[in-house]
């Protein structure tokens, strides 16, 4: 099983919710792909590679880059046109301890997208990738037996809460 398919199954297993898996090809399934980055050139080349592979693989549904920046980083950032982008607040700096933990931006960004994006209101499955991944073929959650994303928001909020010790 490829790494991407494993990740899709893992994310789908975590989200719970929905009924039994749908049968492929019988409906216009609503799958949305997300990946999280920060306002750094390091992530820009990864974004270009992921976007190219996403298009070439024929992945169904839209893709959104969750862009997490501090106010200062955002002022200087020039890569806004690299991918469809939804800006999310930077959570890297812990509000109580002052610890720097940028990895929290992925689950926090997904939570923010689920709560504030119009696109999130109309989705059955969410495929969450890393910016340094390559999509080699369509990731079809319904063909993998993944359940729909009914509980994703609650699970991601729990991950953020535990990681931030709040």
């Amino acid at each position: 099983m490829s790494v991407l398919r494993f990740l899709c199954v893992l994310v789908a297993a975590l989200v719970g919710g929905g009924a039994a898996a749908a049968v492929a090809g019988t409906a216009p399934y609503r799958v949305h792909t997300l990946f999280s980055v920060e306002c750094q050139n390091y992530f820009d080349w990864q974004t270009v590679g992921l976007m190219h592979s996403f298009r070439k693989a024929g992945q169904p549904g839209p893709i959104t880059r969750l862009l997490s920046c501090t106010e200062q980083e955002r002022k200087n950032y020039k890569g806004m046109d690299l991918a469809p982008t939804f800006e999310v607040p930077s959570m890297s700096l812990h509000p109580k301890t002052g610890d720097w933990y940028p990895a929290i931006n992925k689950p926090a960004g997904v939570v923010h997208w689920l709560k504030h994006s119009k696109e999130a209101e109309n989705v059955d499955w969410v495929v969450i990738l890393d910016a340094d991944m390559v999509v080699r073929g369509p990731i079809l959650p319904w063909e993998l037996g993944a359940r729909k994303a009914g509980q994703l928001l609650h699970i991601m909020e729990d991950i953020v809460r535990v990681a931030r010790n709040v």
Side-chain angles (χ1 to χ4, degrees), residues 44-124:
D44 288 352
W45 69 266
Q46 293 179 345
T47 296
V48 170
L50 177 59
M51 292 303 299
H52 175 75
S53 70
F54 178 86
R55 288 185 201 105
K56 192 167 174 109
Q59 174 66 18
I63 186 169
T64 299
R65 173 178 66 163
L66 303 176
L67 183 65
S68 174
C69 311
T70 64
E71 286 183 33
Q72 186 59 40
E73 289 172 330
R74 179 60 181 95
K75 288 178 188 173
N76 300 320
Y77 185 65
K78 298 190 181 354
M80 289 303 292
D81 62 339
L82 296 176
T85 301
F86 187 81
E87 292 185 60
V88 298
S90 176
M91 300 290 204
S92 295
L93 185 63
H94 193 287
K96 293 180 181 176
T97 66
D99 292 340
W100 186 254
Y101 185 62
I104 193 65
N105 285 319
K106 180 184 277 185
V110 172
V111 168
H112 189 81
W113 181 82
L114 287 167
K115 287 183 173 179
H116 301 285
S117 170
K118 291 282 185 204
E119 291 179 311
E121 297 172 5
N122 193 27
V123 66
D124 294 318

Side-chain angles (χ1 to χ4, degrees), residues 5 53-54 56-60 135-144:
R5 289 188 189 269
S53 70
F54 178 86
K56 192 167 174 109
Q59 174 66 18
V135 182
R136 296 183 56 210
I139 302 167
L140 308 172
W142 52 89
E143 287 188 1
L144 300 171

Side-chain angles (χ1 to χ4, degrees), residues 120-139:
E121 297 172 5
N122 193 27
V123 66
D124 294 318
W125 287 278
V126 177
V127 176
I128 303 170
L129 302 178
D130 286 334
D132 62 354
M133 291 180 161
V134 173
V135 182
R136 296 183 56 210
I139 302 167

